[in-house]
């Protein structure tokens, strides 16, 4: 019974922490331009759970929100510009009926894929390592290609959770932090492998 009670308490504790983290993330995203710092803080909190066993949410969240604010804002701005360029290209291609549409569709799709896979790793990356923004972006792209099987699993996880959210919007009270927890758990396998092997792909910033 003690074992059962312990496991039950552990599950309830994790769910409550995910719920609290989810609420803080949602509230922090309300100004929109703070989505990137909020996301970075959320992944940093989850990293603390995973690596250090520190289950504190509120204290760690605001600490990392402030600590990573400048870098995550920069990354968010870069990603927003790239996303706007991609949307413009898709809009243009949708209007174009010439042969150019066929020629340009493949490169645009390829760039979109690389953008998406880089996005999969960038926030877990800056939460796990202290890296300059340029290095973090480069390494995120490289890791996504070197671990394409993990990248594919991440894509499937996000796809399934998106379907759940679409059909059951009430899950929004916990699904974002749950997705981040599952996502970081997958990325952590990649980071642990890198740390163990001490591969030179990770270059510590000055």
């Amino acid at each position: 019974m003690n074992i059962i009670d312990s496991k039950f308490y552990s599950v309830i504790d994790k769910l409550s922490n995910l719920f609290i983290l989810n609420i803080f993330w949602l509230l922090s995203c309300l100004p929109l331009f703070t989505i990137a710092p909020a996301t970075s803080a959320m992944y940093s909190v989850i990293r603390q759970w995973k690596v250090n066993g520190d289950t504190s949410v509120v204290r760690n969240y605001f600490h990392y929100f402030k600590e990573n604010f400048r870098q995550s804002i920069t990354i968010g701005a870069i990603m927003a510009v790239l996303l706007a360029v991609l949307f413009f290209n898709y809009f243009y291609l949708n209007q174009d009926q010439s042969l150019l549409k066929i020629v340009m569709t493949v490169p645009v799709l390829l760039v979109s894929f690389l953008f998406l896979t880089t996005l999969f790793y960038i926030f877990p990356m800056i939460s796990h390592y202290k890296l300059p923004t340029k290095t973090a972006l480069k390494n995120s792209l490289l890791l996504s290609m070197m671990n394409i099987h993990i990248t594919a699993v991440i894509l499937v996880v996000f796809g399934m959770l998106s379907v759940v959210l679409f059909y059951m919007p009430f899950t929004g009270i916990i699904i974002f932090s749950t997705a981040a927890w599952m996502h970081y758990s997958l990325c952590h396998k990649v980071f642990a492998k890198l740390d163990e092997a001490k591969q030179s792909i990770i270059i510590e910033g000055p």
Side-chain angles (χ1 to χ4, degrees):
M1 289 300 294
N2 288 335
I3 294 175
I4 295 174
D5 290 343
S6 177
K7 288 185 177 180
F8 177 76
Y9 173 79
S10 178
V11 170
I12 294 300
D13 184 57
K14 180 169 290 185
L15 288 175
S16 62
N17 284 334
L18 285 171
F19 172 75
I20 295 169
L21 181 59
N22 197 89
I23 296 301
F24 273 99
W25 182 81
L26 287 173
L27 292 175
S28 300
C29 288
L30 288 179
L32 295 183
F33 74 92
T34 57
I35 290 177
T39 303
S40 176
M42 178 165 64
Y43 279 102
S44 295
V45 170
I46 292 171
R47 179 187 181 277
Q48 286 295 100
W49 297 352
K50 193 82 175 177
V51 176
N52 300 321
D54 184 354
T55 58
S56 173
V57 176
V58 179
R59 174 174 54 83
N60 285 335
Y61 184 85
F62 286 107
H63 169 76
Y64 288 113
F65 186 92
K66 181 180 179 181
E67 182 178 85
N68 300 335
F69 187 85
R70 181 176 296 181
Q71 183 180 36
S72 53
I73 278 287
T74 301
I75 290 172
I78 293 171
M79 291 299 180
V81 170
L82 291 175
L83 187 61
V85 171
L86 287 173
F87 270 121
F88 173 79
N89 277 276
Y90 280 115
F91 177 79
Y92 176 79
L93 288 174
N94 190 52
Q95 305 300 315
D96 191 6
Q97 300 300 323
S98 68
L99 182 62
L100 181 63
K101 178 177 182 178
I102 300 174
V103 175
M104 291 301 297
T105 296
V106 173
V108 172
L109 287 174
L110 177 60
V111 172
S112 299
F113 174 75
L114 295 176
F115 169 81
L116 184 62
T117 55
T118 301
L119 193 60
F120 282 166
Y121 284 85
I122 186 61
F123 288 107
M125 172 75 70
I126 64 173
S127 299
H128 192 83
Y129 298 102
K130 300 297 182 183
L131 296 170
T133 299
K134 183 178 179 180
T135 303
L137 288 168
K138 180 190 72 174
N139 288 343
S140 295
L141 176 59
L142 289 174
L143 286 179
S144 69
M145 296 296 101
M146 291 171 60
N147 300 275
I148 194 67
H149 58 297
I150 299 291
T151 304
V153 174
I154 293 171
L155 180 62
V156 171
V157 168
F158 277 127
M160 292 175 61
L161 292 177
S162 297
V163 172
V164 171
L165 182 63
F166 180 79
Y167 286 103
M168 295 182 287
F170 63 88
T171 60
I173 62 173
I174 197 172
I175 200 168
F176 297 106
S177 59
T178 302
W181 176 70
M182 296 172 68
H183 180 202
Y184 183 82
S185 296
L186 290 167
C187 290
H188 185 72
K189 295 179 183 296
V190 176
F191 300 153
K193 189 189 302 183
L194 282 174
D195 293 338
E196 184 179 352
K198 296 181 179 180
Q199 293 186 24
S200 60
I201 185 174
I202 301 298
I203 305 172
E204 294 295 339

